[in-house]
Amino acid sequence: MAVTHNLGFPRIGAGRELKQAVEAYWRQEIDRETLERRGAELRARHWELQAAAGLDWLPVGDFSWYDGVLDTALMLGAVPVRFGAGRDLDTAFHMARGRAPGRRDAPPCAMLKWFDTNYHYIVPELASGQDFELHPEALLDQVRELQALGYRGKPVLLGPVSFLLLGRYQGDGHVLELLDALLPCYGRLLELLRDAGCEWVQLDEPCLATDLDERAVRALEQAYHRLQVPGLKLLLASYFGDPGEHLDLVMHLPTDGLHVDLVHGTLDLSTLLDRLPPYKVLSAGVIDGRNIWRADLEALLDRLEPVYRRLQERLWLAPSCSLLHVPVRLDREDGLDQELHRWLAFAREKVQELVLLGRGLADGRDAVRKQLAECRRALQTRRHSGRIRDEAVRERLRALPADADRRASPFPVRAALQQRRLQLPLFPVTTIGSFPQTTEIRRLRRDHRAGRVSDHDYRTAMQREIAEAVARQERLGLDVLVHGEPERNDMVEYFGEQLSGYAFTRQGWVQSYGTRCVKPPILYGDVSRPRPMTVDWARYAAGLTERPMKGMLTGPVTLMQWSFVRDDLPPDTVCLQLALALRDEVEDLERAGLPIIQIDEPALREGLPLRRAGWGDYLDWAVRCFRVASSPVADGTQIHTHMCYSAFNDIMPAIAALDADVITIEATRSGMRLLDAFADFSYPNAIGPGVYDIHSPRVPAVEEVLELLRRALRVLPAERLWVNPDCGLKTRSWPEVEAGLAVLVAAARRLREDYAGADVDPRRVRV
Ligand code: GLN
Ligand code: ZN
């Protein structure tokens, strides 16, 4: 028998039930007992789904009200004092959001991206000399709950080394020095799980997919040699890539099983088999836990059959990682056409695939002949479908000239021409693109989509919004205006819906953080742009004012990063197709008279591979794609880009290689410290470091903004400094936005006065 198991199931519920329950609890519409009951119902439903599919070991401990890393911190008693002495779910909410029913507000813990996924975790706060104290009740309750329902479960825990490495550490020495204090808690927890009747426990160490230094390697050795509990078996799980150079290490750690991600790694099964000690179970992560394509079961059986012959019950089958990253179930999805529907598998279907594979191995292919045939047919239609191939697109890629990613002239030449055209003052003030998405705007979009508002009425109403936004910006005295993006619900969805090769689900929700879910579009075929996507709105806006108007696009890397992307083409090819579609849009915007075009790439950095060895390759194609999209324009057309994070130090050469005329970035919270990276690198083009924190309802004082700008001027020449908020303003209200922007304009004017007699000329750019 090949054993099937799962590393984790999405907890939000097919209809986002978890979100609804938790948010109702926050609004105090339901009490805690009701919330707990709804959580238990969801867990039961998800176990039932997996058990009905025939899975051997169900995951338990994968449920969370907000985030699993946060739960681990709570379970280990790693709770900063500002959150009080409680260790219950209100403490979890308090830590995650800074507020909880009946508690005093406190600054929340930070949130970071979970490895290279679009999920965010709550960062544990750790300090030297930190105490840990085990609070296993919540987990043990869930184990008992599962047993009471008659299921066989395997607790899944975040391993001690990854837990520490994911934390934010304050104090002397290294965070891993906390391991000694931490391990007794893990040891005790494992004993309790054994006593509760568990046979296996899964310990996740996703840090194994990253670059590990000597210290981390030693910590892993130490931890797993010490975590030996008689009568309990441990499955060490590595995912999001393979353990790479640490393969021998993980093979020889004294755990009873090892899970390896065979989808996102480069290891082949025979290498694994040759190194696997005879006592160890190999869990093969063969079903993609991060994407939504149906697996090729026959190809997998080809690979697995010889392994199964050798390992028999020592071979386990699993998804590559937790299924947290895919939607819950496909069978209820009615937003997709039939053909496409058959190419996909969500969490529930992926569990079914595992079980089929298991049966195919144990009982032979004949036992699952019908299902294999069905799968083969679906994959054949995908492979040969006219919808995924567009010869014109392929030909365009083949014929793309080598210099398609180059502007005609270098930045100093362009800057002079642009300035002659734009006549901007020193320290030009602009925004990042979006303005408040009022309930009125949202309703209009919804009603239009549902057919309750005609195209004509929608257009008129949106134009009114745009005109209003333009008038406000003129009154405020901004130098470069935007149309405000009222027509966009989401910066990826908006473009995806107008590009061919993209499809959208109605229920394909994936947790992003806490109760926030996203519905990533599905990029299934060759991408092209049948018709202009933003030109009408942009042209209309530009015609309303004498001042320069910026056209606004989402960049190719971001469009890709925030979608489920086809797995039958290399990512750089997919990205280049997107870049060419955007290039057409850029050309059309220029032709329509837009003197400035901004191409947002907030996701550029998060696409970085987990190991540095992969960075160069990724950055090469990502940068090239941005440049292909942005470079067809004349020298006098100004290209902006925007990124909303502040870790630039290690990718500075790539940022500079984008060769955008202006880059706007998030900088307020870092107090401009990030500009040091730009200064050290001698970043050559213009920069707009954000000076207005848009994540807070607070409006800064003119003096604060001036102070930030003066700090920026210590490292940047005046001629290349722009003034703008950190990011788009869609989540703010108009009164806040007007007050905030008025402050930016006032600060820029004060600064211009300071520089009135100085020897700076915006037409001249220092090189
Ligand atoms: N232009 C987008 C906006 O202003 C940029 C959003 C982003 O960077 N995430 O909303
Ligand atoms: Zn942003």
Side-chain angles (χ1 to χ4, degrees):
M1 236 298 274
V3 177
T4 55
H5 76 118
N6 188 4
L7 273 58
F9 197 80
R11 51 213 174 208
I12 51 167
R16 285 181 297 164
E17 292 86 344
L18 185 63
K19 173 193 178 73
Q20 280 134 26
V22 169
E23 290 180 355
Y25 177 68
W26 289 344
R27 291 190 302 265
Q28 306 197 1
E29 290 163 15
I30 61 171
D31 60 15
R32 178 141 160 189
E33 211 174 302
T34 313
L35 177 66
E36 299 265 18
R37 200 180 56 243
R38 297 218 188 143
E41 282 164 10
L42 264 180
R43 289 191 289 271
R45 194 177 314 153
H46 295 158
W47 286 326
E48 159 66 24
L49 262 177
Q50 297 173 83
L55 199 71
D56 294 315
W57 291 102
L58 307 186
V60 51
D62 54 344
F63 178 84
S64 175
W65 297 108
Y66 199 99
D67 164 53
V69 181
L70 171 61
D71 294 349
T72 310
L74 261 173
M75 180 167 67
L76 299 167
V79 178
V81 287
R82 66 180 185 281
F83 301 110
R87 296 293 178 264
D88 57 5
L89 63 91
D90 282 330
T91 311
F93 294 145
H94 204 193
M95 289 169 73
R97 312 175 65 227
R99 60 179 50 175
R103 305 207 181 182
R104 193 165 339 120
D105 284 2
C109 297
M111 190 161 72
L112 276 181
K113 283 209 154 242
W114 178 243
F115 296 87
D116 57 350
T117 72
N118 286 328
Y119 178 76
H120 303 71
Y121 74 97
I122 298 296
V123 184
E125 289 178 23
L126 304 168
S128 51
Q130 165 97 41
D131 274 335
F132 296 99
E133 182 190 69
L134 186 64
H135 296 270
E137 302 77 20
L139 178 64
L140 291 173
D141 282 349
Q142 288 175 33
V143 169
R144 283 188 285 264
E145 202 176 284
L146 168 119
Q147 290 165 340
L149 291 168
Y151 300 128
R152 189 161 68 151
K154 168 197 52 142
V156 298
L157 306 172
L158 179 58
V161 178
S162 294
F163 171 72
L164 290 177
L165 291 175
L166 287 166
R168 177 178 288 173
Y169 181 65
Q170 280 218 330
D172 316 322
H174 193 275
V175 67
L176 288 173
E177 284 162 26
L178 295 176
L179 192 64
D180 270 337
L182 180 63
L183 285 179
C185 279
Y186 269 91
R188 181 74 196 122
L189 177 63
L190 294 178
E191 284 168 5
L192 289 169
L193 290 170
R194 176 202 54 197
D195 297 346
C198 297
E199 189 182 326
W200 280 91
V201 169
Q202 170 188 325
L203 282 160
D204 289 358
E205 292 288 5
C207 68
L208 281 164
T210 66
D211 293 321
L212 292 177
D213 59 16
E214 261 309 300
R215 195 193 288 268
V217 169
R218 244 180 300 125
L220 284 162
E221 277 173 341
Q222 217 185 70
Y224 289 91
H225 277 97
R226 279 173 57 187
L227 289 180
Q228 299 292 314
V229 174
L232 182 73
K233 294 183 214 152
L234 297 186
L235 176 74
L236 175 66
S238 120
Y239 45 80
F240 298 151
D242 58 44
E245 51 168 341
H246 308 301
L247 182 62
D248 276 330
L249 165 76
V250 295
M251 282 292 181
H252 292 105
L253 289 177
T255 63
D256 305 270
L258 173 66
H259 170 84
V260 183
D261 180 339
L262 289 168
V263 177
H264 302 98
T266 50
L267 275 178
D268 59 285
L269 269 165
S270 62
T271 314
L272 281 172
L273 273 191
D274 293 342
R275 312 255 185 111
L276 191 74
Y279 65 87
K280 220 184 259 281
V281 158
L282 175 68
S283 161
V286 287
I287 297 288
D288 195 343
R290 293 179 56 172
N291 211 336
I292 40 69
W293 302 105
R294 189 170 185 164
D296 185 343
L297 296 178
E298 287 180 317
L300 283 175
L301 284 175
D302 290 343
R303 281 172 76 193
L304 289 168
E305 275 161 354
V307 184
Y308 180 64
R309 277 196 291 276
R310 275 172 64 180
L311 295 183
Q312 295 291 313
E313 66 282 356
R314 279 168 57 221
L315 175 64
W316 287 23
L317 302 175
S320 59
C321 59
S322 163
L323 298 175
L324 179 69
H325 311 287
V326 295
V328 178
R329 57 194 300 169
L330 180 66
D331 57 333
R332 303 250 176 95
E333 176 60 49
D334 53 4
L336 295 163
D337 64 83
Q338 270 202 358
E339 188 187 28
L340 189 58
H341 200 275
R342 289 181 59 212
W343 301 350
L344 307 178
F346 292 175
R348 170 178 171 275
E349 291 73 25
K350 284 174 187 286
V351 172
Q352 292 170 340
E353 290 180 328
L354 281 173
V355 172
L356 268 172
L357 280 177
R359 282 183 52 205
L361 289 179
D363 306 336
R365 295 192 190 202
D366 243 16
V368 288
R369 196 176 10 158
K370 253 182 49 204
Q371 293 93 326
L372 291 182
E374 207 278 314
C375 171
R376 189 187 321 130
R377 275 194 303 275
L379 293 180
Q380 261 162 10
T381 63
R382 181 173 168 210
R383 223 168 283 136
H384 302 289
S385 165
R387 301 166 65 180
I388 66 162
R389 268 190 90 86
D390 181 335
E391 288 313 325
V393 172
R394 304 264 167 139
E395 182 46 37
R396 195 173 170 199
L397 253 75
R398 267 194 297 274
L400 193 67
D403 63 354
D405 63 348
R406 225 157 295 151
R407 300 285 298 269
S409 307
F411 173 73
V413 177
R414 304 195 307 254
L417 287 168
Q418 290 162 14
Q419 181 55 22
R420 196 173 311 149
R421 175 175 181 194
L422 298 170
Q423 300 287 325
L424 294 172
L426 265 183
F427 315 119
V429 185
T430 190
T431 63
I432 307 305
S434 59
F435 279 127
Q437 295 247 327
T438 58
T439 33
E440 170 68 18
I441 291 179
R442 284 176 212 275
R443 195 178 50 233
L444 256 168
R445 274 202 316 258
R446 215 171 31 240
D447 287 351
H448 178 236
R449 198 175 269 264
R452 291 189 292 268
V453 165
S454 72
D455 288 352
H456 174 269
D457 290 354
Y458 175 72
R459 207 184 151 77
T460 319
M462 279 299 165
Q463 288 185 341
R464 214 178 322 114
E465 292 292 342
I466 291 172
E468 177 64 22
V470 169
R472 286 189 207 245
Q473 294 171 83
E474 287 196 321
R475 277 201 300 276
L476 284 161
L478 269 71
D479 301 299
V480 168
L481 312 195
V482 295
H483 79 289
E485 305 178 23
E487 78 287 10
R488 301 181 196 178
N489 155 49
D490 174 276
M491 65 188 287
V492 170
E493 192 174 64
Y494 180 77
F495 290 93
E497 284 186 334
Q498 301 186 75
L499 292 167
S500 50
Y502 261 110
F504 294 83
T505 63
R506 253 198 270 285
Q507 295 288 338
W509 296 103
V510 178
Q511 190 175 15
S512 170
Y513 63 88
T515 60
R516 170 137 177 86
C517 303
V518 293
K519 228 173 1 137
I522 298 173
L523 196 169
Y524 67 87
D526 288 346
V527 176
S528 64
R529 186 204 64 147
R531 61 194 70 82
M533 304 182 283
T534 64
V535 176
D536 280 349
W537 302 120
R539 187 194 290 115
Y540 174 75
L544 296 169
T545 178
E546 292 297 308
R547 301 188 196 189
M549 177 67 59
K550 265 199 284 199
M552 205 56 66
L553 304 174
T554 302
V557 183
T558 301
L559 284 179
M560 191 158 114
Q561 203 60 34
W562 292 348
S563 307
F564 285 122
V565 179
R566 63 193 297 185
D567 57 356
D568 56 348
L569 273 187
D572 53 334
T573 307
V574 177
C575 198
L576 193 56
Q577 292 186 356
L578 285 161
L580 286 171
L582 288 164
R583 183 180 171 96
D584 295 342
E585 187 74 7
V586 166
E587 283 183 320
D588 281 342
L589 282 171
E590 181 179 54
R591 210 168 292 137
L594 278 291
I596 306 182
I597 299 164
Q598 176 172 313
I599 305 175
D600 294 325
E601 282 290 23
L604 185 86
R605 188 173 210 290
E606 71 189 44
L608 279 177
L610 292 176
R611 289 206 176 85
R612 260 179 196 264
W615 284 22
D617 198 36
Y618 163 77
L619 287 171
D620 278 353
W621 62 254
V623 167
R624 174 164 153 82
C625 286
F626 178 89
R627 293 174 59 131
V628 165
S630 60
S631 58
V633 293
D635 284 341
T637 299
Q638 193 166 69
I639 297 289
H640 289 212
T641 189
H642 165 73
M643 291 171 196
C644 30
Y645 42 81
S646 35
F648 286 97
N649 300 35
D650 43 10
I651 55 165
M652 222 40 236
I655 300 295
L658 295 175
D659 198 23
D661 296 302
V662 180
I663 180 171
T664 58
I665 51 180
E666 175 176 323
T668 309
R669 286 200 187 186
S670 83
M672 301 288 130
R673 274 189 311 279
L674 80 120
L675 286 181
D676 293 343
F678 286 82
D680 293 345
F681 184 79
S682 305
Y683 180 79
N685 303 6
I687 313 177
V691 287
Y692 167 22
D693 176 11
I694 59 94
H695 299 294
S696 152
R698 212 179 136 262
V699 173
V702 178
E703 278 306 328
E704 278 172 66
V705 171
L706 266 176
E707 169 56 25
L708 290 173
L709 288 170
R710 290 198 175 112
R711 266 189 236 168
L713 282 166
R714 271 180 230 146
V715 290
L716 299 176
E719 300 93 335
R720 289 196 262 125
L721 181 64
W722 283 61
V723 177
N724 47 263
D726 275 330
C727 192
L729 297 159
K730 69 197 270 188
T731 57
R732 300 260 64 94
S733 70
W734 268 116
E736 287 160 1
V737 165
E738 293 205 294
L741 293 180
V743 168
L744 297 199
V745 171
R749 288 188 179 149
R750 288 264 292 278
L751 217 50
R752 281 173 207 152
E753 285 164 19
D754 294 354
Y755 276 73
D759 175 31
V760 283
D761 177 344
R763 261 160 312 190
R764 232 196 35 215
V765 173
R766 224 174 283 169
V767 253

